[in-house]
Amino acid sequence: MEEDALIAAAQAYIREVFQNDYSGHDYFHSLRVFKTAERIAQQEAADRTVVQLAALLHDVDDRKLSPQTHAHKDRATAFLRAQGVCVRRIEAICTIIGEVSYSGTDSVVPETIEGKCVQDADRLDAIGAIGIARAFAYGGSHGRAIHDPEIKPRLQMSGEQYQRHISSSVNHFYEKLFNLAERMNTRSARQIAEHREQFMREYLREFLDEWEGLL
């Protein structure tokens, strides 16, 4: 299958998979990750097709969204096989997908530049203006409080602790989002992340001042 047709098929597939997602992991999230990863890949001289496919499929077997397929990346593998993608490329893509997620102090640095591009793109979509919106969308969809001053952020969690931990949406900024900029793998992503983190910090200062009735 030609590359353009393959990418179009992947976009159609994830649109169907995420059509009813309101947690911030919807089709448009994957599409933004795809576009950002593609941009970084161009600057980092990475394999464009591997990056594109891994970015588009990075959430189809996510532990939070599809725990039953997570271990073996069943959805991604089945889709790629159906499109006639070779075994070597499927393995490369699934390895990248397995390295993307944030897991507290157990988060991994991807082995390849392609993996680094996709991980950076996914993390960039978690910060900045859209990252703020996604944090509150995810929290609301999982019954979490917007903010509770009595619940303090828990820092330096392991992957298992992070996955089991239930907190407020505001605490999520301290427990994850403010840790992402310094963990970007590529120079391209670090330049974007610097501005987005600054915006988040300014937003949170405004939020907390309003919460306390100071503004």
Side-chain angles (χ1 to χ4, degrees):
M1 178 179 287
E2 293 184 2
E3 290 186 0
D4 288 348
L6 178 57
I7 299 305
Q11 290 178 349
Y13 174 65
I14 63 168
R15 182 185 286 273
E16 180 180 353
V17 169
F18 298 119
Q19 61 181 331
N20 295 316
D21 186 281
Y22 302 101
S23 72
H25 295 83
D26 55 7
Y27 164 72
F28 295 105
H29 161 64
S30 292
L31 196 61
R32 288 191 302 271
V33 172
F34 163 74
K35 292 177 179 178
T36 303
E38 189 176 35
R39 171 182 166 190
I40 296 172
Q42 184 175 7
Q43 297 173 340
E44 301 294 334
D47 184 316
R48 181 169 175 262
T49 303
V50 169
V51 168
Q52 288 175 316
L53 290 170
L56 287 169
L57 299 171
H58 80 278
D59 266 347
V60 298
D61 295 297
D62 183 86
R63 185 190 303 274
K64 301 183 296 295
L65 309 175
S66 185
Q68 69 277 13
T69 70
H70 170 74
H72 301 291
K73 310 297 179 284
D74 298 332
R75 284 179 166 179
T77 299
F79 169 80
L80 293 167
R81 284 177 178 168
Q83 306 305 315
V85 177
C86 70
V87 172
R88 180 185 60 81
R89 183 159 276 187
I90 291 174
E91 290 176 350
I93 292 167
C94 287
T95 296
I96 291 171
I97 292 172
E99 295 171 335
V100 167
S101 293
Y102 180 82
S103 300
T105 56
D106 295 325
S107 298
V108 301
V109 176
E111 297 179 359
T112 64
I113 188 59
E114 290 77 21
K116 291 174 181 177
C117 291
V118 176
Q119 187 184 74
D120 281 357
D122 185 47
R123 289 180 172 181
L124 283 170
D125 206 58
I127 60 178
I130 287 177
I132 293 169
R134 291 184 63 223
F136 288 115
Y138 185 85
S141 70
H142 286 73
R144 297 182 180 180
I146 292 176
H147 180 45
D148 185 340
E150 295 184 1
I151 302 175
K152 302 303 179 184
R154 186 175 178 181
L155 309 179
Q156 298 298 315
M157 288 183 282
S158 68
E160 183 177 356
Q161 291 170 329
Y162 178 77
Q163 290 164 14
R164 294 183 178 182
H165 182 59
I166 297 176
S167 191
S168 69
S169 292
V170 165
N171 280 356
H172 186 63
F173 285 76
Y174 300 100
E175 294 168 349
K176 175 184 177 181
L177 305 187
F178 289 148
N179 297 324
L180 297 182
E182 65 183 11
R183 297 189 181 197
M184 295 294 166
N185 302 291
T186 64
R187 179 181 178 184
S188 310
R190 285 192 291 272
Q191 290 174 340
I192 300 170
E194 183 178 354
H195 168 76
R196 294 192 183 190
E197 179 176 347
Q198 181 180 354
F199 180 86
M200 284 196 307
R201 291 188 181 278
E202 290 173 357
Y203 168 83
L204 200 56
R205 282 193 291 269
E206 176 81 12
F207 177 97
L208 293 173
D209 282 347
E210 290 183 16
W211 185 275
E212 297 297 334
L214 300 178
L215 292 176

